[in-house]
Amino acid sequence: MATSAPVHPVDEVPPVRQLAAFGLQHVLAMYAGAVAVPLIVGGAMKLSPADLAYLITADLLVCGIATLVQCVGVWRFGVRLPIMQGCTFAAVSPMVLIGTTGGGLPAIYGSVIVAGLAIALLAPVFGRLLRFFPPLVTGTVILIIGVSLLPVAGNWAAGGVGSKDFGEPKNLGLALFVLLVVLGVQRFAPPFLSRIAVLVGIAVGLTVAVPFGFTDFSGVGDADWLGISTPFHFGAPTFHASAIISMLVVALVTMTETTGDLIAVGEMTGRAVEPRSLADGLRADGLSTVLGGVFNTFPYTAYAQNVGLVGMTRVRSRWVVAAAGGILVLLGLLPKLGAVVAAIPAPVLGGAGLVMFGTVAASGLRTLARVDFKDNHNLTVVAVPVAVGMLPVGVPAVYGKFPDWFQTVMNSGISAGCLTAIVLNLLFNHLPSKAGSVAETGGLPGGGGEQGVEESREEVV
């Protein structure tokens, strides 16, 4: 009898009950970040509460559509891996500047549409650069992604940036409680529950938070039951050269970040990202960004926090994240449901975030463990990018006196570290080394670590 070929874990379709639970877990992991961008941009432009609510529902709707395209795939759009899509924070500063200096939302959306088209056109070029992302670079980038996200979890655990009780012991106590619940479920619960440890932790934390007054459900009653985002709700897009140039810089940054995220998920799931699939994933980013400009929202990218969730739960099915995309579409069409999710207190998300983001960093260390660090400069190739990537995380105002385009690139620790890792890998491992290098003279380790650097991703996994 002929036996059917085994299904790769990425393509497995779990039962409906598990799909819903795992998918909701991904939604909760990214929800706060997803709604933060429209809240920041809309707040800076002093939009009315009704317009802010419209931006959020439009964002959730396009988040869901973008995630479905990325996971399920439509022709040459979508990497077909468990990748969650959301608004990129790299675009916040340029969009606030564009929106508050006379251009308004129409100018933002015009530049977003152009940036999306540029990403789609440049995707094949980035795909051909995949050979410059060996395990030495990808491990470093994954490590930077995880460590740079930890302050986000820390701010959540303290109560959320701008909250009146930021840093209160009760907030940190609730976050610690959620963290302990997640760890306890992961260690002692049956296999199915251990895979939704984050969801269980958030649910238990929310149950504890309600009687202690951490939550405010007043917004649920005020929210509409049905809301549909229509194209160009805030007016036809306008195209200003300065706005387009700044958003094109953002596009390059998000493409770099997405490349790192896609490679990270590829290694976690055992399905290595190839040049063609990388181009397909970036092309989906471009399509999502164009849709964002049309449907009154912003540029989209892969969300690193959900990369951590894939690594922690070891649930590798792309259909789980596709289910999360379907949930986001529902939240975008049913604002009342979105208001319920928005009522989850920040400390609850913070406790779960510490586990997820730490998992991303640990995955980077696991990749780097297979790289050869003997008698070469590979340690430098890791050390300097980590330092450069952590600089804006530890000192947010370090580039405050630099031009806007420079801040757009370097204020993202992920993009700054990724670019630095690529350049140093080229410098030390691709350019010809001098005769009589340090490695040969008995001094500090010299170049020539290409054998360890170019180790296949399959072997790393």
Side-chain angles (χ1 to χ4, degrees), residues 240-276:
H240 302 277
S242 58
I244 290 172
I245 291 172
S246 63
M247 205 57 65
L248 288 176
V249 174
V250 170
L252 293 175
V253 173
T254 57
M255 291 179 80
T256 305
E257 290 182 355
T258 298
T259 298
D261 290 332
L262 297 186
I263 292 173
V265 171
E267 294 190 353
M268 288 178 179
T269 58
R271 175 173 284 178
V273 174
E274 303 296 338
R276 173 168 174 155

Side-chain angles (χ1 to χ4, degrees), residues 113-137:
I113 291 172
V114 173
L117 293 173
I119 292 173
L121 293 173
L122 290 174
V125 177
F126 260 71
R128 288 193 289 271
L129 297 178
L130 190 59
R131 66 189 184 92
F132 297 114
F133 287 86
L136 175 65
V137 173

Side-chain angles (χ1 to χ4, degrees), residues 319-354:
W319 298 105
V320 164
V321 181
I327 294 172
L328 284 173
V329 171
L330 283 178
L331 293 177
L333 296 175
L334 302 173
K336 197 171 286 290
L337 285 179
V340 172
V341 178
I344 297 174
V348 172
L349 296 174
L354 287 171

